[in-house]
Amino acid sequence: MDIYAQRSGSLKKIVLVTDDGYFYLGLKYSCLSNLTMTTLGFDRFMKESVCADAMLIIDMLSWSFFKSSNETSFYEKMIKNRRPEDIVMLTSNIFQEIITDMLYPGLCKVDRKLSFSFFSELASNQEKINLAKWCPKFERKRGLTNREMNIILEIFRGGKETEISLQLNICPKTVSAHKLSALSKVGCKNISHFFLLGRPFYRDLKLLLNTKSRSL
């Protein structure tokens, strides 16, 4: 039996996935009326099933530091076989907003700084809230091109600029230009910064690129 399958009357059921205990406690003692909230650390969440009728809220700040995240497909664990309206991502920076928009365009993203207001509205007596209004609107937000995504993925795999230029049949300076353009778009200081932030999304980036290449 699913350990979260039992309903609690008419209360809205939330599963918050986070490793930030202070974050959870702040929400718990501020806006839990009309909500029944279960909190799970990422390690436990990856090992257990969560009932399909609960709203799944993912703290992307914790996800970015989850040790095993580079071995896990976010899509396979958290999105597949669930309704898009039942998944919310709490994003904490421009990088997360752009990458999640690119990989999971149909899901609601909420700026983590607005978590208190968002949970307060969830706890209100409204039967349904407008999730779209909570999506962050970054002025600098721009998507990566297919070429930029391919180059970044090759860098993830350990490829050097000279090797990538031979593989894509372009000069090394062009590879460098695409790399710098991608970094600028997602607000990263350098490639090491991008590598650190992007590791959790490696498998889904690969899945996205493979899907796009098959459709061309």
Side-chain angles (χ1 to χ4, degrees):
M1 178 180 176
D2 193 319
I3 62 173
Y4 304 112
Q6 185 177 1
R7 289 185 175 274
S8 301
S10 61
L11 296 180
K12 297 176 183 177
K13 184 158 45 178
I14 305 292
V15 175
L16 174 64
V17 184
T18 183
D19 289 311
D20 187 341
Y22 291 108
F23 176 63
Y24 164 67
L25 289 175
L27 294 172
K28 178 180 179 181
Y29 292 111
S30 300
C31 50
L32 268 187
S33 60
N34 295 333
L35 292 179
T36 174
M37 185 185 297
T38 300
T39 183
L40 292 175
F42 270 98
D43 186 59
R44 185 181 174 194
F45 173 72
M46 290 298 172
K47 299 174 182 177
E48 298 178 357
S49 61
V50 178
C51 63
D53 63 340
M55 176 176 281
L56 188 60
I57 300 182
I58 309 297
D59 178 11
M60 300 304 293
L61 185 61
S62 292
W63 171 254
S64 64
F65 292 103
F66 179 56
K67 292 182 180 179
S68 301
S69 57
N70 62 320
E71 303 172 358
T72 306
S73 166
F74 194 106
Y75 173 81
E76 291 290 336
K77 176 60 184 178
M78 306 181 197
I79 299 174
K80 190 176 181 180
N81 300 324
R82 297 184 73 90
R83 299 185 307 170
E85 59 268 28
D86 289 336
I87 304 171
V88 174
M89 297 177 175
L90 302 179
T91 57
S92 57
N93 53 50
I94 294 174
F95 177 89
Q96 290 179 355
E97 177 59 22
I98 291 178
I99 293 296
T100 54
D101 268 359
M102 184 171 61
L103 292 172
Y104 327 109
L107 302 186
C108 175
K109 295 94 182 179
V110 175
D111 190 330
R112 197 174 189 266
K113 296 176 183 177
L114 302 177
S115 297
F116 174 78
S117 298
F118 175 70
F119 276 86
S120 294
E121 184 163 333
L122 280 181
S124 68
N125 292 323
Q126 301 179 55
E127 291 188 7
K128 189 174 182 179
I129 68 171
N130 180 14
L131 293 176
K133 81 172 189 177
W134 291 99
C135 292
K137 295 178 175 59
F138 294 112
E139 294 180 359
R140 292 182 290 160
K141 186 169 69 176
R142 293 180 295 167
L144 301 177
T145 65
N146 287 345
R147 178 55 58 88
E148 289 167 346
M149 289 168 59
N150 274 287
I151 288 174
I152 290 298
L153 182 60
E154 289 304 320
I155 292 174
F156 272 142
R157 291 171 175 162
K160 306 299 183 183
E161 290 186 10
T162 51
E163 298 171 344
I164 297 172
S165 67
L166 291 173
Q167 180 179 341
L168 299 178
N169 196 28
I170 57 179
C171 69
K173 288 185 178 180
T174 303
V175 173
S176 180
H178 282 304
K179 181 184 73 173
L180 292 175
S181 175
L183 293 176
S184 175
K185 287 181 180 181
V186 299
C188 290
K189 299 175 182 178
N190 50 48
I191 195 63
S192 297
H193 189 201
F194 186 96
F195 187 87
L196 175 65
L197 295 178
R199 257 310 178 188
F201 303 98
Y202 172 79
R203 287 187 178 273
D204 286 355
L205 275 168
K206 182 178 179 181
L207 175 66
L208 176 72
L209 290 173
N210 289 341
T211 301
K212 285 194 172 185
S213 63
R214 288 196 299 267
S215 64
L216 295 178

